[in-house]
Amino acid sequence: MAVTGILLALFLIAHMLGNLKVFTGETSFDHYAHWLRDIGKPLLPGVWFLWILRTVLVVAVVAHIVAATVLARRARAARPVKYAHRKKVNGSYAARTMRWGGVIILLFVIYHLLDLTTGALNPVGDASKPYGNVVADFAPERWYVTLFYTLAILAVGFHLRHGAFSAFRSLGQQTPRGERRARTAALIFAVLLCAGYLVVPFAVLTGLVS
C-alpha cells in the first residue's frame, strides 16, 4: 500500500510541475511535451518511455486498489462484531470519501486519457499542439470540463490527505503532538498539490492563459 502510494504521489508531483510549464508560454510548453516523447532515445524508440511509465502507473494503481481491499477485509475480520455506538473517526471518514472519490477519480482518469492523451475528446486533438489542446480543453464555454476536473482533483486531495497522514502515523507519529504535526503536514501537502493542478484550468477559464 505504502510503496504504490509513494509511486503515485511522486508521479502526481512530477505531473503537476510539468503542467505548470503552461505559464512559460506556448513554445516552452510544447517543447516540454515533445521532450517527454523523446525520453530514452536512441536507446528506446519513439514514445516507449511514456508507455513504460503508463504501464508502471497502471500496475501501481491496480496494486494500490488490491492492497486497500485486502487491508479493509483484514480490518473487518479482526473485529467481526461491530461497535454498538461507533464514533465518526478518521477511518470512517476516509472510507466515505474513498467511495465517491474513487469513482470520480476513475472516471476522470479515463476521460483525461481520451481527452489530452489520445485527443479523441479534445476540441483540437492535435498531438503536435499540446498547448493548444490544454487551452481548448478548459475554454470558458467548456466550463463543465473545468468543474469535473475540479471535483476530481479535490477527490485526489482528500485521498492524499488521508494517505499522507496514515503514512506519517505508520512511521511512528503516535504521540498527540506528532499526530497534530502529521495532520498539518498532510493537509499542507494535499492543498499545495490541489492548488498546483487547479491553477492551470482556472487560468485558462479566466483568460490568464490563452
Side-chain angles (χ1 to χ4, degrees):
M1 187 74 171
V3 171
T4 55
I6 291 172
L7 284 175
L8 294 172
L10 290 175
F11 167 74
L12 287 173
I13 294 172
H15 191 39
M16 178 199 70
L17 295 175
N19 288 351
L20 292 177
K21 287 188 69 66
V22 74
F23 292 103
T24 62
E26 182 174 0
T27 301
S28 178
F29 186 77
D30 285 352
H31 175 75
Y32 164 72
H34 294 311
W35 170 77
L36 289 176
R37 295 173 175 271
D38 293 334
I39 295 178
K41 285 186 176 181
L43 182 62
L44 296 175
V47 293
W48 275 35
F49 172 81
L50 286 180
W51 282 109
I52 292 173
L53 177 61
R54 289 164 183 163
T55 302
V56 172
L57 290 174
V58 169
V59 172
V61 169
V62 172
H64 198 68
I65 294 172
V66 171
T69 303
V70 171
L71 290 175
R73 289 179 176 176
R74 286 181 181 177
R76 284 196 297 269
R79 182 169 292 278
V81 180
K82 295 183 178 181
Y83 290 108
H85 300 285
R86 186 173 182 177
K87 296 180 180 180
K88 294 182 178 180
V89 295
N90 286 327
S92 59
Y93 162 79
R96 290 196 303 274
T97 58
M98 297 309 169
R99 290 190 188 102
W100 60 263
V103 173
I104 293 176
I105 293 172
L106 178 59
L107 292 175
F108 171 74
V109 169
I110 295 173
Y111 175 84
H112 194 57
L113 291 174
L114 293 173
D115 180 18
L116 293 175
T117 299
T118 67
L121 298 180
N122 190 273
V124 175
D126 188 344
S128 65
K129 301 178 180 178
Y131 183 92
N133 292 335
V134 172
V135 171
D137 199 32
F138 300 113
E141 61 272 16
R142 287 168 56 86
W143 58 268
Y144 49 89
V145 174
T146 300
L147 177 61
F148 183 38
Y149 188 93
T150 301
L151 290 176
I153 295 302
L154 291 177
V156 171
F158 277 115
H159 195 107
L160 285 173
R161 177 177 175 270
H162 174 71
F165 171 70
S166 298
F168 287 133
R169 294 277 289 177
S170 298
L171 291 173
Q173 296 290 353
Q174 302 294 331
T175 65
R177 185 177 182 181
E179 182 175 334
R180 288 194 297 271
R181 289 180 175 177
R183 288 185 185 279
T184 301
L187 178 62
I188 291 174
F189 173 62
V191 169
L192 288 178
L193 198 74
C194 286
Y197 273 100
L198 292 178
V199 69
V200 173
F202 280 96
V204 176
L205 183 67
T206 58
L208 183 61
V209 172
S210 60

